[in-house]
């Protein structure tokens, strides 16, 4: 019995040992299976991700190949007048006085981009790329160069159409920019710093941006993107992942003059409408309602018994506009135009301006808490009248230089005792906290030159200033009283 019991204990011990060892073996075996299974499951995922990245990369490469032939390099040449310094002899005043300084032409060369929008040679670009050009040259993707003619300009949207006499050109098709969504991938194609057919990528950062152009009474509905855009990209293409034209790259927000992650493009739908009118008529005619408007704030809305700030407040009706003969009244709140909700003043201005004169529009307004509908036939917006652009914030006295915080005037009797008439423009206002104040400009300073070009009138000064872009560095030659002349440099703010 004792021997049998010992054998039984030994067998039990072997059985337990076997079970433990078996368990370890099974566990290791199971672990190896799991490890193999995990390896098998991870490998396809990694491969799938890699394929997705390759497909994504292939998409961008395919778009670039499709778009680049339709984007051109535009070179504009013009001559600007520059006063030449003369040294006066000791008898000059005695023999009839000083003669005006010699004025010699100085060549100026600008570079920009353009997009071919028709196979017979029409090219869409920016107004500031081609404005005042005496000669335009277009370089195609195959490096052919051909002269171009201006078809039409629209400074208020900074768009222009030029034409080359060629056929069978590669056309970039328009997309529907209204369907473009914030966060969607886009590509910018242009010629930054003259580097032909540069391609960059980013996303749509925002839509409906305004207060970008340094042009009074502009019409803006910009697409904001973080695709790298630099000087020379102006007039180039912003495209979606289908390779369709979604915008014309126009401006950048920068403190350095280069890319800082914020670029702006004119939406394709706006650009197409402007282009059609420029090609057809050589100019842009805009609808005119004849009202002054402002955005509705919470306090005003509450005082009028309106629950939210949706809509646009009619502040005043002009004496010479079509709204005067309608039922529209001050303090009406416009909530819809032709059945589509009105978001803000920019939305209403842009949509009215985009309509042809003679169009009958249907305004849905709220008056005394009750809705009503008013029909008005639009007139044509005359050029140069700021009062008819329908915004309380705009002033007829604003000048392009207001972006740096100054107003200028021609030399009047008040200043003629100090400065010779026709020798420059006098700074009449320097706004507190402005770039001009920071750089030391003062009321009464005489601006003789802008970037080396002589100035003789406010009109000439404004024309020069409109050619500059936000972020661009400029210099003024200033005379202060009878003191010697000196240079003041500053950079035009982006906003």
């Amino acid at each position: 019995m004792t021997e049998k019991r010992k054998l039984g204990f030994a067998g039990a011990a072997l059985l337990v040992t076997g079970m433990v060892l078996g368990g370890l073996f099974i566990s290791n075996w199971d672990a190896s299976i799991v490890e193999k299974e995990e390896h098998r499951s991870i490998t396809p995922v990694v491969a799938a991700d890699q394929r997705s990245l390759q497909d994504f990369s292939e998409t961008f490469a395919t778009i670039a190949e499709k778009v680049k032939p339709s984007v051109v390099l535009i070179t504009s040449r013009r001559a600007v007048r520059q006063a030449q310094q003369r040294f006066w002899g000791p008898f000059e005043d005695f023999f009839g006085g000083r003669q005006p300084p010699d004025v010699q032409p100085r060549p100026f060369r600008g570079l920009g981009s353009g997009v071919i929008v028709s196979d017979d040679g029409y090219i869409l670009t920016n107004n500031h790329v081609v404005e005042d050009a005496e000669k335009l040259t277009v370089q195609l993707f195959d490096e052919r160069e051909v002269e171009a003619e201006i078809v039409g300009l629209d400074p208020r949207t900074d768009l222009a159409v030029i034409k080359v006499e060629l056929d069978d050109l590669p056309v970039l098709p328009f997309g529907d920019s209204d369907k473009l969504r914030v966060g969607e991938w886009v590509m910018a194609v242009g010629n930054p710093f003259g580097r032909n057919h540069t391609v960059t990528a980013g996303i749509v950062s925002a839509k409906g941006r305004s207060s970008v152009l340094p042009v009074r009474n502009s019409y803006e509905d910009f697409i904001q993107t973080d695709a790298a855009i630099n000087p020379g990209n102006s007039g180039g293409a912003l495209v979606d992942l289908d390779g369709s034209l979604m915008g014309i790259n126009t401006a950048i927000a920068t403190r350095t003059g280069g890319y800082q992650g914020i670029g702006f493009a004119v939406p394709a739908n706006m650009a197409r409408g402007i282009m059609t009118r420029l090609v057809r008529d050589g100019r842009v005619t805009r609808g005119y309602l004849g009202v002054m408007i402002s955005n509705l704030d919470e306090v005003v809305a509450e005082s009028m018994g309106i629950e939210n700030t949706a809509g646009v407040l009619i502040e005043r009706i002009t004496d010479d506009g079509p709204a005067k003969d309608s039922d529209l009244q001050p303090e009406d709140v416009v909530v819809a135009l032709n059945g589509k909700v009105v978001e803000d003043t920019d939305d209403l201005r842009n949509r009215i301006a985009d309509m042809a004169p003679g169009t009958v529009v249907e305004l849905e307004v709220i008056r005394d808490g009750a809705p009503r509908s008013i029909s008005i036939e639009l007139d044509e917006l005359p050029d140069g009248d700021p009062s008819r652009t329908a915004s309380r914030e705009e002033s007829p006295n604003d000048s392009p230089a207001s972006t740096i915080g100054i107003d200028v005037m021609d030399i009047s009797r008040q200043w003629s005792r100090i400065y010779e008439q026709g020798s420059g423009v006098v700074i009449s206002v320097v706004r507190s906290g402005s770039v001009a104040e920071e750089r030391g400009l003062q009321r009464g300073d005489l601006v003789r030159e802008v970037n080396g070009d002589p100035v003789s009138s406010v009109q000439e000064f404004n024309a020069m200033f409109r050619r500059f872009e936000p972020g661009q560095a400029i210099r003024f030659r200033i005379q202060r009283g009878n003191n010697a002349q000196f240079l003041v440099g500053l950079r035009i703010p982006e906003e």
Side-chain angles (χ1 to χ4, degrees):
M1 288 293 295
T2 302
E3 191 67 30
K4 289 182 179 180
R5 188 173 298 161
K6 289 181 180 179
L7 289 173
F9 284 138
L14 289 172
L15 178 62
V16 171
T17 303
M19 291 175 64
V20 171
L21 291 174
L24 291 174
F25 175 76
I26 292 170
S27 296
N28 289 335
W29 183 74
D30 288 344
S32 66
I33 292 176
V34 171
E35 184 178 349
K36 289 180 180 179
E37 289 299 325
E38 287 180 350
H39 179 72
R40 288 174 182 172
S41 63
I42 290 173
T43 302
V45 171
V46 172
D49 287 344
Q50 187 174 2
R51 285 196 300 272
S52 296
L53 289 172
Q54 289 173 342
D55 292 342
F56 192 53
S57 177
E58 183 66 23
T59 297
F60 278 100
T62 301
I63 295 170
E65 291 175 356
K66 173 185 176 182
V67 173
K68 286 196 298 182
S70 300
V71 177
V72 300
L73 173 66
I74 299 175
T75 304
S76 63
R77 292 178 174 84
R78 64 176 181 269
V80 296
R81 313 298 292 185
Q82 182 178 30
Q84 303 296 314
Q85 184 67 40
R86 290 181 59 180
F87 296 93
W88 305 100
F91 303 103
E92 186 99 26
D93 288 338
F94 182 77
F95 289 106
R98 299 184 179 186
Q99 300 300 316
D102 292 336
V103 179
Q104 300 294 332
R106 179 170 59 89
F108 174 85
R109 178 175 176 264
L111 297 175
S113 305
V115 181
I116 300 173
V117 290
S118 74
D119 60 3
D120 57 348
Y122 285 100
I123 296 171
L124 190 58
T125 185
N126 283 141
N127 174 76
H128 73 262
V129 171
V130 300
E131 187 179 30
D132 298 327
E134 296 177 356
K135 182 179 179 181
L136 287 176
T137 303
V138 169
Q139 184 182 83
L140 304 176
F141 183 66
D142 59 10
E143 298 188 357
R144 283 183 296 167
E145 291 190 357
V146 60
E147 290 190 16
E149 297 291 335
I150 294 177
V151 175
L153 306 171
D154 184 40
R156 291 187 175 183
T157 56
D158 198 18
L159 291 171
V161 176
I162 64 176
K163 191 175 188 304
V164 295
E165 295 303 323
L166 292 173
D167 294 318
D168 299 324
L169 294 175
V171 175
L172 187 60
F174 281 96
D176 185 354
S177 55
D178 288 344
K179 295 181 179 179
L180 197 62
R181 297 179 299 166
V182 174
E184 188 172 339
W185 279 97
V186 287
M187 293 176 61
V189 184
N191 307 288
F193 306 110
R195 304 291 182 179
N196 294 11
H197 299 97
T198 296
V199 178
T200 57
I203 63 168
V204 176
S205 305
K207 295 179 65 177
R209 292 301 199 205
S210 59
S211 301
V212 173
L213 297 178
V215 178
R216 183 161 52 96
N217 304 327
S218 59
Y219 292 90
E220 305 177 35
D221 186 27
F222 284 108
I223 300 167
Q224 180 182 322
T225 175
D226 67 350
I229 296 173
N230 285 289
N233 270 109
S234 293
L238 187 76
V239 300
D240 63 6
L241 293 190
D242 290 327
S244 298
L245 182 64
M246 286 293 167
I248 299 296
N249 297 319
T250 299
I252 56 176
T254 175
R255 296 186 183 278
T256 64
Y259 167 70
Q260 282 190 312
I262 301 180
F264 301 98
V266 178
N269 290 357
M270 176 184 284
R272 179 163 45 189
I274 296 297
M275 178 199 71
T276 300
R277 282 177 276 179
L278 288 176
V279 171
R280 183 186 63 211
D281 305 322
R283 68 187 188 98
V284 176
T285 57
R286 290 186 165 89
Y288 166 45
L289 191 58
V291 294
M292 302 295 288
I293 60 177
S294 66
N295 288 319
L296 191 65
D297 62 36
E298 293 181 2
V299 176
V300 173
E302 182 180 349
S303 71
M304 301 176 73
I306 299 175
E307 296 180 353
N308 54 55
T309 58
V312 170
L313 179 66
I314 302 293
E315 290 207 348
R316 183 168 66 86
I317 296 175
T318 62
D319 294 333
D320 60 348
K324 183 182 179 182
D325 299 323
S326 73
D327 187 37
L328 195 65
Q329 297 180 12
E331 298 194 8
D332 283 348
V333 176
V334 181
V335 294
L337 170 62
N338 292 343
K340 183 179 178 181
V341 171
V342 171
E343 297 179 359
D344 53 26
T345 55
D346 287 335
D347 183 35
L348 182 58
R349 287 180 70 246
N350 290 340
R351 286 164 61 185
I352 290 292
D354 198 44
M355 297 179 185
T359 301
V360 176
V361 298
E362 196 78 14
L363 297 178
E364 295 178 29
V365 306
I366 296 177
R367 181 186 302 167
D368 299 327
R372 63 178 62 203
S373 182
I374 299 172
S375 297
I376 302 176
E377 182 178 342
L378 301 179
D379 282 349
E380 180 178 344
L381 174 68
D383 292 331
D385 187 345
S387 68
R388 61 192 78 234
T389 59
S391 177
R392 178 175 58 181
E393 291 78 9
E394 292 170 352
S395 167
N397 297 320
D398 284 347
S399 69
S402 63
T403 56
I404 62 170
I406 66 171
D407 291 336
V408 298
M409 66 181 187
D410 291 318
I411 297 176
S412 62
R413 181 178 299 178
Q414 174 187 0
W415 298 100
S416 61
R417 293 171 296 175
I418 303 174
Y419 302 125
E420 180 185 356
Q421 190 169 4
S423 60
V425 292
V426 178
I427 296 178
S428 58
V429 174
V430 178
R431 294 178 178 82
S432 177
S434 66
V435 173
E437 184 186 57
E438 292 174 359
R439 301 298 294 167
L441 292 178
Q442 299 178 12
R443 181 177 181 271
D445 284 349
L446 182 73
V447 182
R448 286 190 173 275
E449 296 179 357
V450 179
N451 278 12
D453 298 327
V455 179
S456 59
S457 67
V458 171
Q459 183 178 3
E460 189 174 18
F461 177 87
N462 289 342
M464 289 180 179
F465 209 93
R466 288 191 181 98
R467 293 201 292 264
F468 301 128
E469 298 182 359
Q472 185 171 348
I474 62 174
R475 68 184 186 279
F476 293 152
R477 180 168 292 279
I478 298 293
Q479 181 175 340
R480 184 168 294 163
N482 293 322
N483 296 329
Q485 298 178 29
F486 57 95
L487 291 178
V488 174
L490 50 82
R491 193 179 300 280
I492 301 175
E494 289 76 30
E495 298 180 357

